[in-house]
Structures are given as C-alpha cells and as structure tokens.
Amino acid sequence: MELLIDGLIGGLILGGLYALIALGLNLQFGVAKMLNLTHGEFIMFFALATYSFYTVFQINPLLSLILSGPLAFLLGFVLYKALFQKLQIRSASLDRLAASTLLASFGLSFIIQNVGLLIWGGDIKRYVYLATPVNILGFSYMLNRFVVFVVAVCLSIAIYLFLRKTMFGTAIRASSSDIIGAYAVGINVKKIQTISFALGAGVAGMAGVLVSMMFAMEPLMGIPYTLMALIIIVIGGAGNFLGSLAAGFTVGAVEGVGGNLLGPALRLVLIYALLVVILLLKPKGLFGGK
Amino acid sequence: MAERKKWIGVTLIAVLIVVLILLPQVVTPYYVSLLISIFMYLALAFSWTFFSGTTGYISLAAAAFFGIGIYTMTIWGHILSIPVTIALAGLFGFIFSLIIGAATLRLKGFYFVIFTFGLSELLKQTVKWYETDVLHLTGRWVQAGPLSGQDVYYLLLPLAALVFLVHWITQTKLPFGYALRAIGQDEEAARCMGINTTKVKVIAFVISSTFMAVTGAVITLRWIYVDPFIAFNPNVSFMVVAMSMLGGVAKPYGPLFGVIPLVLISEFLGLVYPRHFMIILGAVYVAVTYFLESGITGLPALLAKKRFSSKWFSPGKEA
C-alpha cells in the first residue's frame, strides 16, 4: 500500500514534468503537423547547458530557467524556418509530411546528440541544487523535485490559459483542429504554425533546465523524453492540449505506481504496452475525439 | 531491335550473377564482410519497400521482425538444423505479423509509424524483462555456427535476390502490385475501385515481415553474442527506412541505390571519422529528406518536373 502511495506521489510529480514536455511537442505536432524527434534533444541541450552554467559560471539554475525560454524559442523559430517549413511546402500529403519530418528530425537528432557528446563527453553529469528533503504524507522527496513540479504545473497552466483566453491562443487551437477552417476565417496559419513550433521549442528548453535540477544527464538522455512525449500525445490525442496535460499526469502516475509495484524492468514494458493498446482501441487518444 | 536489347540485358544479368557468385572467392575477408552487410540490408530494404514503399505506410517495425529472426536462431539454431531454424524464424515472423497486421492496419500515417515503433520497443522491453527477470540471463551466446563469411554470403545472396524478384515481379507484372501502388497514391479511391485494401495491406505486410525475420535468422550465424538491445536495435529500422528512401521507392530496384551508398558511407565513416560518424550519418538523413525526397532513382523524374514546371504551370504541386 505504501508503495502505491509513494509511487503515486512520485509519479504525479514526474507527471507534471511529462505533461509540460508533451504540451511542447503537441504545440509542434498538433498545430504545425510536424513530427519533431529533436524535442528531446532540446531538453538535453538545455539541461547540459544549465549544468555547465551552474558549475562553471555559478549561474543559478532558476535564472537559467528564465533565460532558456526565449533562447529556446528563438532556436526553434530558426529551426522551423530553415528546415521544417521547407519540408511542409514540398510534401504532397500529411502522411508524406510525417514521413519526411520523421526522417529529417531523426537525422537532426543524431547530429545534436553527437555535438553534445563532443562538447560534454559521454560521462554522466549531475549537480546538486536545492537538495533538501521535504516531507509529504510521510514520504520524503527532494525539494528540487517539488520546485520542478510547481514550476512545470505553473507553466502548463500559463500556456493553457494563453491558449484558452487570448486571441492568439485561440488562433492556435483553431489551426490545430481544422486548418482549412482556420484559413477560411482569415487566420495567418503559416505564422501561427511557426510561432507554435517555436513555443514548443521554448517549452522544451525550459523543461530541459527543470530536468537538470532533478536528474543526472548525459548527451543521449533526450531520446526517452521524446518517446515519452510522443506516447503522451497519442494517449491524450494529438492536437488536444488539455488531453496531453491529463495524459502526462496519467502516464507519470502509471509509471510511478507500476515501477514501484512491478519493478523497473516492467516499467517500460508497461508504458509501451499502454501505447500499443491505446492505438489499437482508441487511436485518437483517450481524450481525443475528432 | 527490341529482341537484341533483351538478349543484351539477359547476358548482362547473367554476367552479374556469375560475378556475384565468384566474388567472395577472390576478395579478402574484409570485403566479404562488407558484401554480407550489403546483402543483408538489401534483403531488409527490399522487404520494407515491398510493403511500406508502395503503400506509403511507413513502418519502423523492421527491428521487431529482424529481432524475432535473430532470437529464433539464437535459441533453436543448435537444437534444430540450420535450415529448419531459418524456416521456423520465417514462421514466427509470419504469425506475429499476421496478428499485428490484422489488428492495426486501420491506423493511418503518423499513428501507424508510432505504433510500429512502439511495437518494436515493446517487444524489446518484454524480451529483456523475460530474459533478465525470469530467466536471469543478460544475453545469449549463439551456439549455431558461427559460419564462415562465405557461407553466410551464399545464404544472403539468394535471399536478397529472392526478395528482389518477389518485389520486382509484383510491381511490374502482378495486379497485386498495382493494388499496392493504388493504396499508396489514394487509399479511398483504391477502395472505391473495389480493391480490398485491408486484405492487400495485411498480405504485403506479412510477406515483408516474414522475409525480415528470415534475414535476421541468417545473419545471426555470423554473430557470437545476442541480447535484446542488439537484436531489436531501432537503428536497424531507421537505417532500412533511410536506405529505401535514399534509393527511391518508385522503381523496384530503387533500394539498391540507397543500400550500397549508405553501407559504404557507414563503413568509411566508421573507419576514418569514428567520432563524427553519427553526425555525418544524421546529416545524410537530413540531406535525403531535404534534397532527394523521391530518392536517387526518382531524380530523373524530379529533374524533368523541375525543367518543365514554370511560374504558370507546375504539375503535381498543390494550389
């Protein structure tokens, strides 16, 4: 029973981070229809950069957090304009677009991973920040995890409110649910897609800083995050932003509880089994529906 | 005149076959190893193109079936005879792909890609869990063989040739090939024409996967140690996709032009720039999608289209 609760709390804390990361990818895939496998590499790059800034220049990770958003946004913007938008122009169908962005971003992720290896080397790095234990319901967790959770949730809520309450956010939601309709009502869909993509990248950058506070890092760490984000998007429904938030927490909880009850080896089995089952039974996601 | 061209073509092919058969006898073992890589990837790429290249359902499940073949040979290769084990690997691939295919071929595009990838990973993690937690093994030694480079080559050469023939005959002579291409171009229209798209897709998927499993079983005879991460390595899936796309899927012999360059490039990079190998490989992937979206064999058509398109009339472009 204790394992269950501990797993649940730990899983929800992790779930907050997952939800944020998935939200970022959803902005890119749901709106711009790009399968961006470099999402995890953004996370990796900013995580390791935060590490370097903290250990070498003594820059507070929270400061890095604030800086990372705009910087990652800019990088995402450039990446979209330089590569992905060109692919969109020349793809004859959405399926071809998925295939070509898959291959291109896969190749790009190779490049980024290995640049990371060249810069930071292959050994595992971690730094200690806010590592005081905090007591929740009798279980102890590190303060930094808690901070990450709070920040991730705040960011997610902020983005969600942005999507719901602002004109721009509504335009994004419109483009994600019906591109032709969005064009029809006069939305500059190209601009929206570019900004969405860049926003998604900005989220990834910030998530990277958050990850660096919690976990050990090495240049190949990005891959599981990309996969997790993809799985969460599928479960939540591509393009469904609330869905990916909910799915993020769900997957986090499943992983936490499952990992505690069934052991680490089955943890990944559980997650992929969940993906496969959802795709077989409800391909549009648990919360999708179009 | 056409008669003579046909005879020249047949002679050239005969010469090629003789050369390919004699090659391992006259070159060093290193080159035999290289040829083995080439023919292994040729078998995989032609299998992949048979289904995914034609229908447009990009599958990342190559690693799954390849791995099934590998594990079959690892576990039973020394208990049953090698030919029987190879057939058994094919059977496992057949059964597994039949189950998968029937259940999933209503998934489209992106969802299908993710599903095949998730499936491969699921298989890998399940096998890993079973081996580690239930059987307490980290990996297995391959006890069948190991066969010499030449022996494996003489297994892979006919295998790759067979897969190529199946693909080529299907695409050029059989209505089934038309059905596959129709699905690839417009599945709705294909269904309206009366093609049973589900049946066609499942059959092609099963044939493709069975060949991949057989290839996995054969290559294992060159290996000594196997574990789930080696057998179900997702890089194999991605390499196969990249090779097929680089070569081009429009023509049946397309994958040839993707497999040979990429195997050679990998070899070259691995030797000369080992630290930058992955970066350059990644750059190749990007370049392929950026500049060569129809693949190398699609280049003539692509260039012709560019030559003839103008500001006022561009065939094939969206409005």
Side-chain angles (χ1 to χ4, degrees):
Chain A
M1 191 53 190
E2 282 189 358
L3 278 181
L4 184 73
I5 300 189
D6 173 51
L8 196 60
I9 298 179
L12 283 174
I13 293 181
L14 201 57
L17 188 62
Y18 285 163
L20 184 67
I21 296 177
L23 191 60
L25 192 61
N26 217 351
L27 280 168
Q28 297 176 332
F29 179 69
V31 181
K33 313 284 187 231
M34 307 275 162
L35 201 50
N36 178 19
L37 293 186
T38 63
H39 200 60
E41 315 312 328
F42 266 79
I43 296 177
M44 175 272 286
F45 211 80
F46 278 82
L48 280 167
T50 310
Y51 164 83
S52 293
F53 282 171
Y54 185 59
T55 50
V56 174
F57 300 113
Q58 263 82 50
I59 296 185
N60 191 315
L62 290 174
L63 181 62
S64 292
L65 182 66
I66 300 176
L67 292 175
S68 64
L71 192 58
F73 180 91
L74 227 67
L75 277 174
F77 190 89
V78 168
L79 183 64
Y80 184 79
K81 282 286 186 200
L83 180 63
F84 287 105
Q85 194 165 50
K86 301 239 163 61
L87 290 178
Q88 185 179 44
I89 293 175
R90 55 174 74 197
S91 294
S93 73
L94 271 182
D95 289 349
R96 299 245 183 279
L97 181 64
S100 42
T101 52
L102 176 80
L103 260 185
S105 60
F106 180 67
L108 202 58
S109 71
F110 264 5
I111 296 179
I112 302 178
Q113 283 163 22
N114 286 273
V115 168
L117 271 173
L118 287 176
I119 299 180
W120 285 289
D123 44 314
I124 300 184
K125 316 232 184 302
R126 78 180 311 155
Y127 63 87
V128 177
Y129 181 71
L130 293 181
T132 49
V134 160
N135 214 304
I136 305 180
L137 293 184
F139 302 100
S140 89
Y141 302 96
M142 287 290 163
L143 180 62
N144 50 28
R145 292 209 174 209
F146 207 59
V147 168
V148 166
F149 177 73
V150 168
V151 173
V153 169
C154 288
L155 271 174
S156 301
I157 293 181
I159 294 178
Y160 182 69
L161 286 176
F162 167 73
L163 288 171
R164 260 241 111 90
K165 304 282 184 198
T166 67
M167 274 303 261
F168 203 85
T170 311
I172 291 182
R173 281 188 297 124
S175 307
S176 113
S177 83
D178 188 344
I179 289 195
I180 311 277
Y183 268 117
V185 295
I187 295 177
N188 186 343
V189 175
K190 290 267 183 288
K191 191 170 94 173
I192 296 281
Q193 287 178 332
T194 312
I195 303 286
S196 290
F197 191 89
L199 261 176
V203 167
M206 292 207 274
V209 177
L210 292 175
V211 164
S212 73
M213 290 201 252
M214 273 173 59
F215 296 119
M217 310 163 264
E218 44 96 17
L220 296 180
M221 64 185 269
I223 305 167
Y225 287 104
T226 311
L227 288 174
M228 200 54 85
L230 277 173
I231 294 176
I232 292 174
I233 289 187
V234 169
I235 295 179
N240 184 334
F241 300 108
L242 196 56
S244 57
L245 284 181
F249 281 104
T250 312
V251 170
V254 165
E255 195 184 325
V257 171
N260 265 13
L261 291 180
L262 297 171
L266 278 180
R267 186 177 62 99
L268 282 168
V269 175
L270 204 59
I271 304 230
Y272 284 111
L274 189 61
L275 172 70
V276 167
V277 166
I278 297 278
L279 276 173
L280 285 176
L281 298 178
K282 289 202 107 217
K284 296 290 184 193
L286 285 177
F287 311 99
K290 264 152 243 176
Chain B
M1 196 55 202
E3 186 76 5
R4 250 190 64 208
K5 265 178 82 169
K6 191 171 141 192
W7 278 117
I8 294 177
V10 169
T11 323
L12 275 175
I13 293 180
V15 167
L16 183 67
I17 295 178
V18 170
V19 165
L20 285 176
I21 295 179
L22 290 180
L23 217 42
Q25 313 284 352
V26 301
V27 298
T28 63
Y30 170 73
Y31 284 101
V32 177
S33 215
L34 201 59
L35 284 168
I36 288 179
S37 277
I38 290 181
F39 279 94
M40 179 189 91
Y41 274 111
L42 275 177
L44 288 174
F46 283 124
S47 309
W48 186 87
T49 312
F50 183 78
F51 169 68
S52 292
T54 51
T55 61
Y57 279 71
I58 306 289
S59 159
L60 289 176
F65 297 102
F66 191 57
I68 289 178
I70 294 175
Y71 260 90
T72 310
M73 182 55 79
T74 310
I75 299 177
W76 284 287
H78 54 285
I79 304 175
L80 309 165
S81 75
I82 287 179
V84 171
T85 318
I86 294 180
L88 188 64
L91 184 65
F92 284 149
F94 180 84
I95 295 176
F96 193 62
S97 61
L98 198 57
I99 299 174
I100 301 298
T104 75
L105 281 169
R106 46 203 185 93
L107 290 174
K108 294 303 191 61
F110 157 70
Y111 294 101
F112 183 74
V113 180
I114 298 296
F115 176 79
T116 55
F117 180 76
L119 188 72
S120 303
E121 290 295 293
L122 178 61
L123 195 54
K124 176 170 95 183
Q125 299 293 342
T126 310
V127 170
K128 169 167 192 294
W129 163 76
Y130 191 76
E131 299 266 285
T132 313
D133 285 15
V134 174
L135 296 178
H136 303 293
L137 295 167
T138 31
R140 292 175 182 259
W141 301 102
V142 179
Q143 289 164 301
L147 297 187
S148 74
Q150 293 195 353
D151 290 338
V152 172
Y153 174 82
Y154 287 127
L155 282 174
L156 282 176
L157 175 58
L159 178 63
L162 177 64
V163 184
F164 169 68
L165 273 175
V166 167
H167 180 51
W168 182 69
I169 291 179
T170 308
Q171 286 303 309
T172 52
K173 310 230 185 294
L174 297 181
F176 189 73
Y178 279 106
L180 286 171
R181 289 204 304 280
I183 294 176
Q185 286 173 5
D186 190 335
E187 190 164 349
E188 276 297 306
R191 218 175 299 142
C192 292
M193 272 167 48
I195 297 176
N196 185 338
T197 55
T198 307
K199 199 164 98 173
V200 168
K201 285 186 292 187
V202 171
I203 292 178
F205 184 66
V206 166
I207 292 177
S208 161
S209 312
T210 308
F211 276 125
M212 289 186 190
V214 169
T215 310
V218 171
I219 198 66
T220 312
L221 294 167
R222 274 292 274 176
W223 293 352
I224 305 174
Y225 177 76
V226 160
D227 75 18
F229 287 85
I230 295 176
F232 297 103
N233 186 355
N235 277 331
V236 172
S237 296
F238 281 104
M239 277 289 258
V240 169
V241 173
M243 287 171 176
S244 306
M245 303 291 255
L246 174 62
V249 298
K251 298 256 192 281
Y253 50 80
L256 251 165
F257 290 87
V259 168
I260 297 181
L262 275 180
V263 168
L264 292 178
I265 291 178
S266 308
E267 230 358 78
F268 173 71
L269 289 178
L271 284 176
V272 179
Y273 294 116
R275 285 194 0 151
H276 305 272
F277 164 58
M278 294 299 260
I279 295 185
I280 302 190
L281 195 64
V284 170
Y285 281 93
V286 174
V288 168
T289 28
Y290 221 138
F291 301 115
L292 279 178
E293 76 261 24
S294 312
I296 291 180
T297 53
L299 213 48
L302 196 67
L303 290 176
K305 202 165 83 164
K306 283 206 199 302
R307 229 174 354 125
F308 288 122
S309 72
S310 68
K311 209 164 64 161
W312 310 109
F313 173 66
S314 294
K317 263 229 200 95
E318 297 218 48

